[in-house]
Amino acid sequence: MSGAILEALDLHYTYPDGTRALRGVTLRVPEGSRVAVLGPNGAGKTTLFLHLNGLLRPRKGTVRFAGREIRYDRKSLGELRRAVGMVFQDPDSQLFCASVFEEVSFGPANLGLAPEEVRRRVREALRATDAEDLAERPTHYLSYGQKKRVCLAGVLAMEPRVLICDEPTAGLDPRQTSGLIELLDRIARRGGTVLIATQDVDLAYSWADRVVVLKEGRVLGEGTPTEIFLDEDLLRGADLTVPWVVEVHRELVRRGLVPPDAPVPRNREELFGLLPAAEAAVRLEV
Amino acid sequence: MLHIDRYAYRNRLYGVHPADKVCLAGTALFVSLAGAPPLTPLLVLVVMAGATVGWAGIPWRYYLRLVAVGLGFLVLGLPAVALQAGPAGDGLLWGVRVGTFFLGLDRAGVERALHLLVKCLGAVSGLYFLALTTPVTELLRVLRRVGFPGLLLELMDLVYRYLFVLLETAGSIYVAQAARDGYASWGRAFRSLGLLVSVLFVRAHHRALALFTALSARGYNGSLEVVGPEYLSSWKNRLAVGCLTVGLLVSWVLTGGGAHVRGHP
């Protein structure tokens, strides 16, 4: 399979306490794609991610990076983690340093770069995450949203080829959420590969190129957002709801306000684009 | 404690190079303690209080409160220095008889106590200046530059960072307990507090594990290497700090510092 930067093949993992978190997960992440991994709590999203940058070792199955099976010796892991950056859900478990600047410098400093290059990367990562003004602030006086941005900067400063974010929008207010999505878009547009875990069906539907649905450690479905979110049986089986754009579109089609053969809109803008004709239809009826 | 931390990040001397501030505070400490007559530490106190309140812009009310805290500790310790015990009661300014002994104050003892008091106040004013104007993170950078052992610096940084996480966690557990009447009576309060502490230990352990995972994800290999920003030292600030430092040293020499060590009992 060409073009896949990350692949997981039949991963099985059981935690020491006996929880069977992964029961044969197979996943393919094409280079330059935006992948959303959807699933309820306890579906195994975080466990899967921890495998993708070598933090957990599968009991069975393999992980491949750029076509090669990953190895778990110190040197190979170092190279993998340089290429696959991971942002954790809880910022307080990632931010270890009281100084934002030093926090962000940790990753690049571990790459063995010269201090000048480290500083350049820190400044660039802070700029990319709109966190420049936080550089001189102490970590413990940042708000939750600011902490999340600093976490992201700390990973971006390593300039990874793949960015993995565990629940990047959880706990953020609507404005912060849209800011974060914009940021992930920017990274993806520059050719980066972005993988997120989320429970937000609207986000997964509008943002991702590919959606993977996990439940109880198994992949229930994988495909384009349209394939996944028009499959009602799949959604019901995974305890997921229909994205509002799809729901509204479906209702508009049912009432005959929108032609049924047009492609299903992917986002708010596309949906609104369908509306003027509908308005005219309403006026005619009145 | 938390107020001091806040001021350290929000004072007018925030941009001054931390090494300069350490230098000034160190000089204040040295001049106060290195055997000078009482006048010198008093001078230090005035200069450093002026620098902290007037220059760095720390509210004087808050500063006075801090000084009062230091003073409180000093006053508690002073009687031990000032009081004399001996078989003879003559020569005492004031005294009581305890059995066959006399306990009281003599002139030398009072002088010694007062001298100690001003010495300590002078030294404390130097430390307050540093604590109120220089964030811990910057102090750590200075220590790193002068070759302080890396392991200790990492520990200090982690302790400082996670102190706030721990306080926040403890605070939210406390609120959650209080919301369910966990502190309604003495008995319940003790039980709730015990639970809080034990939960805190468990959470701290989980946090340590999560931190290790997160650090590993960014290539942690046994040492927390970080790179600090570069300081743009302003010549004006450096000059001002330099003048104060030299001024303190000169006043120390002029008031007969150093020589006093031998002259004093």
Side-chain angles (χ1 to χ4, degrees), chain A residues 15-67:
Chain A
Y15 278 100
D17 67 356
T19 314
R20 291 181 64 194
L22 299 182
R23 310 170 185 217
V25 170
T26 296
L27 174 83
R28 191 169 168 274
V29 180
E31 173 135 42
S33 63
R34 316 162 181 205
V35 179
V37 177
L38 265 175
N41 287 331
K45 303 187 292 285
T46 304
T47 312
L48 173 63
F49 283 3
L50 292 176
H51 279 84
L52 296 182
N53 101 349
L55 288 163
L56 288 180
R57 198 173 177 163
R59 296 286 149 98
K60 195 177 153 240
T62 51
V63 178
R64 289 165 161 268
F65 175 73

Side-chain angles (χ1 to χ4, degrees), chain A residues 88-130:
Chain A
F88 290 80
Q89 181 179 354
D90 176 11
D92 273 330
S93 65
Q94 182 173 336
L95 303 174
F96 72 95
C97 203
S99 144
V100 168
F101 193 99
E102 289 177 6
E103 170 68 43
V104 177
S105 80
F106 176 69
N110 282 334
L111 300 180
L113 302 168
E116 261 327 296
E117 172 65 8
V118 172
R119 290 196 187 100
R120 188 192 65 77
R121 286 201 183 189
V122 171
R123 279 190 291 267
E124 199 167 288
L126 287 172
R127 199 175 311 129
T129 49
D130 296 322

Side-chain angles (χ1 to χ4, degrees), chain A residues 92 95 102-103 105 136 141, chain B residues 5 14 141 161 218 227-228:
Chain A
D92 273 330
L95 303 174
E102 289 177 6
E103 170 68 43
S105 80
E136 284 300 313
Y141 294 138
Chain B
D5 190 62
Y14 180 71
R141 275 178 214 148
R161 162 82 184 101
R218 286 196 284 160
V227 175

